[in-house]
């Protein structure tokens, strides 16, 4: 190998190694999952600053703008903050910020310490590499590893898993807190949409909370009323039902709760927490 070729090879190798190290240093990991985002951690006034939306969503919160304020909401928690304002508000209580939030490349950046205090999680940062760990979900004393969702289309179906403690806990809480009145099982319910009997229900999706070995600890199936009949025929039939399969109990459910679950799964998909296990949709 001549000297010129060796020098060129060494330069390329060092460049690749440097790029790989830089990428690793600028990662944000939550519960071991590297978040899918181009918004990287930054330093300002000797404080680590992180992108607000992607991290808040990955910790199970919704993020909305209202006038000039950003509002984070999760369960009974509501946080308000604003760009270039040195305080935030959590459930009415003022929170001082080490560094004022700022806007850069269409991302709001906040101090990492604010994320830790707001969501009660453990954080670690070194050379711009940010690691956030949250408390796992336990069902009957057993730790949940993943949430598995299955849904069917006209031809085929999809099985996918969410690996992220905050997502799993948020979705489980929606099921637990939004069970309505207990009801009898409907006479007709199925994955199929071609049922011709009024009062038939279609299974939108099933959700299994899996332990470390892949065994289901709890399962919830969400059903919607098939509305291919005149509205007067369907009077008295609730639009949504939930089947707690583990207990074989049926409850009323709501459209808003179902939409909240879909939004969390959409966020998990966008932020890199969802893995498709199988897809047979034609």
């Amino acid at each position: 190998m001549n000297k010129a070729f060796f020098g060129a090879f060494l330069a390329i190798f060092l460049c690749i190694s440097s790029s790989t190290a830089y990428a690793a240093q600028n990662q944000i990991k939550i519960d071991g999952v590297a978040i899918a985002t181009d918004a990287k951690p930054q330093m300002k006034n000797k404080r680590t600053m992180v992108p607000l939306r992607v991290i808040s969503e990955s910790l199970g919160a919704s993020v909305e703008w209202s006038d000039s304020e950003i509002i984070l909401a999760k369960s009974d928690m509501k946080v308000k903050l604003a760009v270039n304002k040195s305080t935030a508000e959590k459930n009415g209580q003022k929170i001082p910020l080490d560094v004022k939030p700022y806007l850069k490349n269409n991302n709001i950046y906040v101090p990492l310490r604010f994320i830790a205090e707001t969501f009660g999680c453990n954080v670690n940062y070194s050379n711009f590499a940010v690691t956030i760990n949250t408390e796992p979900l336990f069902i009957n004393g057993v730790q949940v590893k993943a949430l598995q969702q299955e849904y069917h289309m006209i031809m085929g179906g999809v099985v996918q898993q969410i690996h992220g403690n905050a997502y799993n806990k948020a979705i489980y809480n929606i099921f637990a807190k939004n069970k309505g009145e207990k009801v009898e099982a409907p006479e007709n319910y199925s994955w199929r949409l071609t049922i011709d009997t009024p009062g038939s229900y279609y299974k939108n999706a099933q959700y299994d909370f899996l332990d470390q070995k892949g065994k289901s600890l709890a399962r919830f199936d969400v059903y919607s009323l098939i509305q291919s009949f005149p509205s007067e025929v369907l009077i008295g039939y609730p639009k949504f039902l939930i089947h707690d399969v583990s207990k074989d109990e049926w409850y009323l459910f709501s459209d808003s709760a179902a939409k909240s679950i879909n939004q969390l799964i959409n966020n998990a998909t966008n932020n890199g927490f969802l893995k498709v296990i199988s897809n047979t949709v034609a």
Side-chain angles (χ1 to χ4, degrees):
M1 181 183 295
N2 62 45
K3 292 182 178 180
F5 179 80
F6 177 78
F9 173 80
L10 180 61
I12 293 172
F13 174 78
L14 292 175
C15 181
I16 294 174
S17 300
S18 176
S19 298
T20 303
Y22 179 80
Q25 288 178 340
N26 280 268
Q27 280 188 339
I28 301 174
K29 285 189 175 182
I30 297 181
D31 297 329
V33 177
I35 296 179
T37 178
D38 292 330
K40 304 301 182 182
Q42 300 180 354
M43 292 296 292
K44 186 172 183 180
N45 298 343
K46 298 182 179 180
R47 294 291 185 268
T48 303
M49 307 294 289
V50 292
L52 175 65
R53 177 178 290 277
V54 67
I55 290 184
S56 297
E57 288 180 348
S58 298
L59 293 175
S62 63
V63 183
E64 297 180 356
W65 280 89
S66 178
D67 296 328
S68 59
E69 286 187 323
I70 305 104
I71 300 175
L72 312 180
K74 179 181 179 182
S75 188
D76 57 355
M77 180 193 77
K78 190 172 185 179
V79 176
K80 298 179 180 179
L81 68 156
V83 173
N84 295 323
K85 188 174 181 180
S86 59
T87 59
E89 186 179 291
K90 179 179 179 180
N91 292 343
Q93 299 294 319
K94 297 291 185 180
I95 303 174
L97 301 176
D98 293 341
V99 180
K100 296 178 182 179
Y102 60 87
L103 179 65
K104 184 174 182 180
N105 297 330
N106 295 319
N107 288 288
I108 303 294
Y109 280 83
V110 296
L112 182 58
R113 179 180 174 184
F114 165 77
I115 293 292
E117 293 179 348
T118 298
F119 293 98
C121 52
N122 296 321
V123 301
N124 184 35
Y125 48 95
S126 177
N127 296 326
F128 296 110
V130 173
T131 302
I132 301 174
N133 293 311
T134 65
E135 291 184 0
L137 170 66
F138 287 85
I139 297 177
N140 297 325
V142 181
Q143 182 175 334
V144 171
K145 180 181 181 180
L147 167 62
Q148 181 166 290
Q149 181 201 39
E150 179 178 351
Y151 63 90
H152 290 188
M153 308 291 281
I154 295 175
M155 295 292 289
V158 176
V159 178
Q160 53 194 19
Q161 291 182 358
I162 296 174
H163 294 266
N165 295 332
Y167 285 114
N168 295 339
K169 187 177 291 186
I171 292 172
Y172 182 81
N173 286 338
I174 290 175
F175 285 125
K177 294 180 179 180
N178 287 275
K179 288 181 180 179
E181 179 184 346
K182 190 175 180 180
V183 296
E184 295 295 325
E187 292 186 10
N188 297 291
Y189 55 94
S190 171
W191 283 113
R192 295 170 59 88
L193 277 168
T194 56
I195 301 175
D196 297 325
T197 306
S200 298
Y201 285 83
Y202 171 70
K203 182 157 74 168
N204 301 98
Q206 67 183 44
Y207 303 83
D208 282 279
F209 293 86
L210 308 178
D211 66 10
Q212 302 298 313
K213 296 181 179 180
K215 179 182 177 181
S216 179
L217 298 169
R219 175 177 147 190
F220 300 94
D221 295 349
V222 177
Y223 288 84
S224 60
L225 179 65
I226 298 176
Q227 302 189 55
S228 57
F229 304 94
S231 57
E232 60 270 16
V233 176
L234 299 177
I235 293 176
Y237 292 106
K239 290 185 178 181
F240 284 90
L241 294 174
I242 182 175
H243 183 199
D244 185 337
V245 178
S246 306
K247 299 178 180 179
D248 194 19
E249 295 175 343
W250 290 78
Y251 298 88
L252 300 181
F253 205 51
S254 68
D255 181 34
S256 60
K259 286 180 178 178
S260 295
I261 291 172
N262 290 336
Q263 183 60 59
L264 285 166
I265 291 177
N266 184 60
N267 291 344
T269 303
N270 293 337
N271 297 333
F273 286 81
L274 186 140
K275 178 182 179 182
V276 176
I277 306 300
S278 67
N279 186 343
T280 59
V281 176

